Amino acid sequence: MTTTATMAAVKFAQENQERFVEELKALLRIPSVSTLPEHAKDVRAAAEFVAAELKRIGMEHVRLIETATKERPGGHPLVYADWLNAAPAADGRPAPTVLCYGHYDVQPAEPLDEWKSPPFEPTVRDGNIYARGAVDDKGQMWMHVKALEALFSVGEGRLPVNVRVIVEGEEEVGGEGIAMFVREHGDSLKADVALVSDTEMFAPELPTLCVGLRGMIYTEIEVRGARTDLHSGMYGGAVPNPFVALAQVIAKLKDADGRILIPGFYDKVVSPSADELKAWQALPFDEEHYRETEVGSVSLTGEAGYSVLERTWARPTLDVHGMPGGFTGAGAKTVIPAKALAKVSMRLVPDMTPAESFAKYKAYVESIVPAGVEIEVRMIHSGDPIVVSTDNAYVKAATEAMHTVFGKETVFVRGGGSIPIVGDFVRELKIPTVMMGFGLPDDNLHAPNEKFHLANFYRGIESIVLFLSGVGA
Ligand code: BES
Ligand code: MN
Ligand code: MN
């Protein structure tokens, strides 16, 4: 594609910004919460919405790929599309293929009363669009679709590169469906590079490539005491209380300094290189500002001897997300619950593996079970940690694209979050992955008032137009 054509595509994107936002709003109105079975129809509707648009803009072989099986009746569909007719290079080599990845599922919107405008009624305020999924990841996935539309429209139905699109509906619940598909049908996603826009920029105005993600194991601990709930006056003092037992177990998982107490848990942790640590030190990061404005707690916590960036990017963690069960209504109920549950996850860093980490955790929990209760430790989902290479032409194309749009050099960061399939792109498909995301640190991912800064939505589309043209050139 000539520079003139590329700039025409950028111009097309600029002239159609308003329409792009209206379309995104329609997608955001669909409450595609993948973890809640009652939203299964909405999840499918979101998949169909994305598929219809891919078809409309000119992608080929658009289809939903079902991932539900007997064992996984709740599996959500993948959306697939491709366009593989790009002209070969002058020397006859075939045009490269870019695999565009995103997810159309979202996290639950609760607590609803914390939202200034309802989570599934997208609202624009102060240059931001507010809705569940605005930035994670419907808005960012839409940037891919709109960049492709811009390129098709100025290219008279042709793209400067071969493109495959794969959009999943289970990222927020572990991504098992896409993982199975990649392992069994990896060939049908054959590409030279994967483009993922599901990460953040380090700071406003600062173009960022994410080069590492933490992995995770998400688990449940179930504690059972008496056969049934008991009157706490009649029985209290003589019978086990599962919640107290669970609290005792949880208290032994981590010490007061944030060090995880599971024997051998840190054995496989690889420290970032000296160069990487040096680069992180040069990033514009003010710990006090982070505490005050982003976190809002009286102090920060975590392992001594590590910076906040190391703690969130390069160290494993253990967190408790909730302890369902017992009595949690308004008022008081004097009951000793028969069972208690805790949702506990651990973030993993290279070279930890989910299987080994889970085995160590399970064995340790089973070794500290208090008297009178039985414990079951279950894995809900898991994903591998990953660090991607930066030494390739695609990373260069991405930094050049963002330089044109932002007028600044790109910073390389890691993300503390997880995108389970990225590990499989690298290990199963054996392709480099470019994680070029346009979220901001205060976009409230997974929290009330999630937003996407519209200027970044537009700059993201332009960056992707330039990236795809650059890869094709
Ligand atoms: N987009 C996030 C992951 C992310 C956020 C990466 C910020 C880098 C920076 C993704 O949608 C996400 O939330 N993933 C889950 C995965 C989990 C449910 C397996 C996560 O990290 O909790
Ligand atoms: Mn995401
Ligand atoms: Mn997410």
Side-chain angles (χ1 to χ4, degrees), residues 103 136 171-172 198-199 213 216 347 381 417-418 420 445-446:
H103 63 93
D136 185 14
E171 196 279 336
E172 300 290 9
D198 191 22
T199 53
L213 295 167
M216 77 154 13
R347 298 275 169 180
H381 61 66
S418 311
L445 282 75
H446 296 198

Side-chain angles (χ1 to χ4, degrees), residues 79-138:
V79 182
Y80 174 85
D82 64 32
W83 191 89
L84 303 171
N85 313 308
D91 62 6
R93 276 181 309 153
T97 303
V98 179
L99 175 63
C100 292
Y101 163 87
H103 63 93
Y104 65 79
D105 66 322
V106 301
Q107 289 269 330
E110 285 73 17
L112 299 181
D113 54 2
E114 300 278 321
W115 286 79
K116 292 203 183 84
S117 50
F120 299 108
E121 291 175 26
T123 307
V124 173
R125 288 194 298 276
D126 306 330
N128 298 301
I129 183 162
Y130 287 84
R132 169 57 83 235
V135 69
D136 185 14
D137 180 45
K138 285 173 173 170

Side-chain angles (χ1 to χ4, degrees), residues 36-51:
L36 301 175
E38 62 267 32
H39 281 294
K41 275 213 178 78
D42 300 313
V43 175
R44 179 169 299 270
E48 277 162 0
F49 185 103
V50 175

Side-chain angles (χ1 to χ4, degrees), residues 138-157:
K138 285 173 173 170
Q140 299 216 68
M141 179 264 292
W142 208 243
M143 298 181 316
H144 287 194
V145 180
K146 295 297 106 181
L148 292 171
E149 179 185 351
L151 288 166
F152 270 129
S153 89
V154 303
E156 283 159 359

